[in-house]
Amino acid sequence: MLMTKRLILRRWDEDDAEDLFRYAKDPEVGPAAGWKPHASVEESREIIRNVLNGPEAYAVCLKEDSTPIGAIELMLGGSSVNRLNNADECELGYWIAKPFWGQGMIPEAAREMLRCAFEDLHMSKVWCGYYDGNEKSKRVQEKLGFKYQYTKDDVFVPAFNETRTEHMSCITKEEWKNELQNR
């Protein structure tokens, strides 16, 4: 479990399925990140079992009641979802429920995940991507100090059986340390 000023980042539990479904069924949340809105509580339960179960996958929860309002994960090198092969690099992924947009909660959670990546997991670089049109995700990455690296066209998105343009950014451990000093 990780903590920030307003949030608890904790492992997902199958008992979170109703809370996950409440927010993940919103058609404005998942599609921007490449996944379909959840259709049922049981589907959310299956996602907890089979997708949100990585070694560094966390529910983003409000500190006052530990209710999940989003998800955040460091996908480690060599994992099935991660496109990276280096053991000392990982990819950050996140989403937050629409009622919490614009409150700085994902940047807050992501700062703690970056701390974990660099200090606890000894990563040298963290990658993060977003699809064309997902300006909210782009802004989060900019706030955190990620630097644009490349754009890839025709990235296949299986959930929608379509291709999209993806923009990738990264932050190194040294850049992260500099960001901390400048805050």
Side-chain angles (χ1 to χ4, degrees):
M1 181 168 60
L2 304 169
M3 283 203 235
T4 70
K5 183 179 177 185
R6 299 179 289 173
L7 304 169
I8 294 171
L9 309 180
R10 63 164 174 81
R11 302 291 296 170
W12 285 93
D13 184 277
E14 287 186 37
D15 292 340
D16 295 323
E18 287 186 28
D19 291 319
L20 176 58
F21 176 65
R22 177 179 335 140
Y23 296 124
K25 69 183 179 183
D26 187 328
E28 291 190 61
V29 175
W35 49 271
K36 287 190 175 189
H38 294 194
S40 67
V41 172
E42 187 51 42
E43 180 183 8
S44 291
R45 188 171 285 109
E46 285 298 314
I47 300 255
I48 289 170
R49 282 187 203 125
N50 300 312
V51 178
L52 299 173
N53 63 349
E56 297 297 328
Y58 298 92
V60 176
C61 304
L62 296 172
K63 220 175 206 180
E64 63 254 19
D65 60 11
S66 197
T67 301
I69 59 168
I72 196 160
E73 181 174 10
L74 291 172
M75 294 162 277
L76 305 177
S79 71
S80 61
V81 290
N82 192 335
R83 295 163 282 213
L84 309 172
N85 295 319
N86 299 334
D88 67 342
E89 295 181 13
C90 62
E91 184 175 343
L92 176 67
Y94 48 78
W95 66 267
I96 191 135
K98 189 175 178 186
F100 302 95
W101 288 1
Q103 298 178 37
M105 292 195 181
I106 281 299
E108 182 177 326
R111 281 186 186 96
E112 177 59 14
M113 292 299 284
L114 289 174
R115 185 211 57 77
C116 176
F118 293 125
E119 292 184 354
D120 300 344
L121 302 174
H122 309 291
M123 295 287 140
S124 66
K125 188 181 284 186
V126 177
W127 292 85
C128 198
Y130 66 93
Y131 294 120
D132 247 2
N134 191 345
E135 293 300 311
K136 288 175 182 58
S137 190
K138 178 183 179 184
R139 282 192 12 251
V140 166
Q141 292 171 41
E142 291 169 349
K143 286 179 189 176
L144 295 170
F146 279 80
K147 306 283 189 261
Y148 170 80
Q149 297 298 305
Y150 65 88
T151 295
K152 188 172 182 182
D153 295 320
D154 300 321
V155 174
F156 185 65
V157 182
F160 296 99
N161 195 30
E162 67 184 23
T163 60
R164 295 186 184 176
T165 298
E166 182 178 49
H167 307 279
M168 292 299 294
S169 299
C170 75
I171 187 168
T172 65
K173 187 172 188 174
E174 293 74 29
E175 290 167 340
W176 171 75
K177 284 180 181 178
N178 289 336
E179 284 289 320
L180 285 179
Q181 291 174 349
N182 295 328
R183 278 203 324 208

